[in-house]
Amino acid sequence: MDEGRRNELEHLYRKYTKPLYYFLLKLSGSPQLAEDLVQETFVRATISLSFYQNEDVRAWLFKVARNAYLDEWRRRQRRKWVPFADYLFAKDEMASPYGLPEDEAIQAETSDDLQQLMAYLPEQYRSILYLREVEMFSYQEIQEALELSENQVKVTLHRARKRLAQIAEKQGWKDDEHGMD
């Protein structure tokens, strides 16, 4: 690897390690797994650094991170290594295989608990909400990161917000207590 490329990669690593870590932490619910997946993301980025030239690098890195998470999730599904009771969301598409989301939601009282409610959402809803609401991605960046059309981004984001509101209501959250719309 030449010096310029190495410097570029180091710059990307310094700039995006924490945002990627928090994104992967929200997806996985596991700090250790999030750290591992950040490393995996940068390994993959190093290998394919020359392929992202026409894309927004931030969106591209989040896409690489999400793909690393999905690969890990699929690998764990194949091993039937899902560490929560009763495979609570085994039938739901891409429900988080980490933690006990129901217990966490019942204890929800602060804004951090809102993030925990997201564990009930399918992976695509969690990803799009996180990228839009936490990382403040534009619709264009979300399109690139999740490989969706503009209409798909808008529809999926709307559905994710609606589903999160339904889950929050089901868990007994009130709009005035937690700032939910």
Side-chain angles (χ1 to χ4, degrees):
M1 178 182 306
D2 67 34
E3 189 66 30
R5 205 167 170 184
R6 186 177 325 186
N7 289 339
E8 183 179 8
L9 192 59
E10 284 179 22
H11 170 74
L12 293 176
Y13 186 81
R14 275 187 251 116
K15 187 172 182 177
Y16 293 110
T17 297
K18 283 185 181 179
L20 289 171
Y21 171 79
Y22 290 119
F23 173 62
L24 292 165
L25 180 62
K26 296 301 178 200
L27 288 180
S28 70
S30 168
Q32 294 81 20
L33 182 58
E35 288 179 17
D36 291 346
L37 290 173
V38 167
Q39 297 303 317
E40 177 66 21
T41 298
F42 280 101
V43 167
R44 291 181 183 193
T46 302
I47 293 170
S48 57
L49 191 59
S50 61
F51 297 113
Y52 82 91
Q53 293 176 0
N54 295 328
E55 298 178 57
D56 175 355
V57 71
R58 184 171 77 144
W60 179 73
L61 280 173
F62 275 80
K63 179 169 65 177
V64 172
R66 180 175 178 252
N67 288 337
Y69 167 75
L70 292 174
D71 290 347
E72 179 63 24
W73 188 86
R74 288 183 194 112
R75 193 173 14 257
R76 290 182 184 218
Q77 287 296 309
R78 281 194 301 268
R79 286 190 236 144
K80 301 285 183 191
W81 190 70
V82 181
F84 62 33
D86 302 326
Y87 296 108
L88 188 59
F89 292 104
K91 294 181 180 178
D92 289 343
E93 177 188 332
M94 304 299 286
S96 175
Y98 309 102
L100 297 172
E102 186 175 48
D103 292 342
E104 294 171 359
I106 290 170
Q107 299 170 1
E109 291 182 1
T110 65
S111 63
D112 287 341
D113 295 326
L114 177 60
Q115 295 298 321
Q116 294 172 359
L117 279 177
M118 290 176 63
Y120 287 98
L121 298 173
E123 182 279 329
Q124 189 174 35
Y125 286 2
R126 281 183 282 140
S127 293
I128 200 165
L129 281 173
Y130 184 83
L131 294 176
R132 180 68 181 167
E133 306 300 336
V134 177
E135 292 295 328
M136 308 303 279
F137 271 40
S138 67
Y139 288 136
Q140 179 65 36
E141 289 174 319
I142 293 172
Q143 282 180 245
E144 292 175 19
L146 302 182
E147 296 177 332
L148 298 172
S149 70
E150 183 178 344
N151 280 342
Q152 287 173 318
V153 168
K154 290 178 180 176
V155 168
T156 305
L157 187 59
H158 173 74
R159 289 178 180 166
R161 287 176 175 154
K162 186 175 177 180
R163 184 107 172 248
L164 183 63
Q166 290 170 341
I167 291 169
E169 183 179 331
K170 190 175 181 180
Q171 296 298 323
W173 280 45
K174 295 191 176 7
D175 293 353
D176 56 337
E177 290 178 16
H178 303 287
M180 299 269 311
D181 292 325

